[in-house]
Amino acid sequence: MLDISFKSNVDVISRQLSALAYKQLPFAEARAATELAKLAATAEKAAIPAVFEKATPFTVNSVGVQAARKELPIARVYIKDKAAEYLVPYEFGGTQFVGKKPGDLVPVGAAANQYGNLPRNLIRRYLNRKDCFLGTVKTARGDVFGLWQRPTPTAPATNRRRKKVAMENTTGKLKLLVAIHAPVATKKRLKFGDRAQSVVAANFSRVFGAELAKAIARTRG
């Protein structure tokens, strides 16, 4: 979350304004803060897919803006609560947030969606099957914890069985569907605060000048 305010800049400008312009200053300040917050939010949304490969629309659209008011000329750019839970470690550092999941879920033999994530409740659906289990299995690469599927016994190929083949393990050995890794310290950085500050600094003069001019023009009109 970042509050967009520029009181020190406005204080300097206010000493150079006419009485008419000074009277419109609170309106212009609030409007400018809101417009700058919107510009910052647009930049944040554009940056998320560059930081996180295959970012979901939910994550991209989690950037919000709270408008400034005349009485409180501070606008706010923020990440909505649900997304903030897992994005905060990528801004300030820390361990991956996995919520109620047993760990970081990495699809292996299970089909992922277009964003590289498991469909909702997929693990639960697999665990309702008698041939699947959560556990640790010794492999050539060491112990691997995850969702595993036992091999399907061979049987005559009937039409009914052909419909089920997509969910069956025909490899003849245990099949890893989902690897479950312990959360690790994050390395990527979102740079949310730095980016928003840069946008504000780069656009302040243009945006504030335009909003002040509009406010004065409305009064004269």
Side-chain angles (χ1 to χ4, degrees):
M1 179 177 70
L2 182 75
D3 291 344
I4 304 297
S5 176
F6 33 80
K7 187 177 184 305
S8 59
N9 306 66
V10 174
D11 287 345
V12 173
I13 294 172
S14 67
R15 291 193 287 270
Q16 306 171 29
L17 298 177
S18 65
L20 177 62
Y22 186 81
K23 189 175 182 179
Q24 299 305 311
L25 194 59
F27 297 97
E29 187 178 358
R31 288 290 300 272
T34 300
E35 290 306 308
L36 287 167
K38 290 178 181 178
L39 289 175
T42 298
E44 301 291 6
K45 288 183 178 181
I48 287 176
V51 178
F52 303 105
E53 185 179 359
K54 298 182 179 179
T56 65
F58 179 85
T59 299
V60 173
N61 295 323
S62 68
V63 181
V65 172
Q66 181 179 321
R69 306 190 306 275
K70 175 187 173 184
E71 301 79 14
L72 184 64
I74 299 175
R76 180 166 292 168
V77 186
Y78 63 95
I79 298 289
K80 297 173 185 176
D81 290 346
K82 193 69 176 178
E85 288 182 330
Y86 57 84
L87 288 179
V88 161
Y90 293 96
E91 176 70 8
F92 303 107
T95 304
Q96 290 173 303
F97 175 82
V98 297
K100 296 180 180 179
K101 297 182 292 186
D104 182 23
L105 308 181
V106 181
V108 180
N113 62 24
Q114 60 182 312
Y115 304 107
N117 299 324
L118 293 170
R120 191 174 182 179
N121 296 323
L122 180 69
I123 289 183
R124 182 178 300 176
R125 293 202 301 272
Y126 268 114
L127 289 178
N128 285 333
R129 296 166 55 93
K130 293 181 179 180
D131 61 343
C132 295
F133 67 95
L134 275 178
T136 301
V137 173
K138 292 184 180 296
T139 73
R141 299 179 181 178
D143 293 350
V144 176
F145 177 63
L147 174 67
W148 294 86
Q149 185 177 27
R150 299 181 182 90
T152 303
T154 57
T158 63
N159 288 336
R160 187 176 181 180
R161 288 200 69 255
R162 288 194 184 97
K163 294 179 181 179
K164 294 183 178 180
V165 71
M167 290 286 287
E168 293 180 348
N169 175 9
T170 58
T171 64
K173 57 184 178 181
L174 282 175
K175 179 180 181 182
L176 179 60
L177 300 174
V178 181
I180 302 177
H181 300 159
V184 298
T186 59
K187 294 182 180 179
K188 295 179 179 179
R189 289 294 174 265
L190 188 56
K191 298 182 179 179
F192 185 91
D194 292 344
R195 184 175 299 103
Q197 292 282 15
S198 296
V199 169
V200 172
N203 293 278
F204 168 74
S205 296
R206 176 181 62 82
V207 172
F208 182 74
E211 293 300 334
L212 183 58
K214 289 178 186 177
I216 296 172
R218 282 194 294 268
T219 301
R220 289 173 173 167

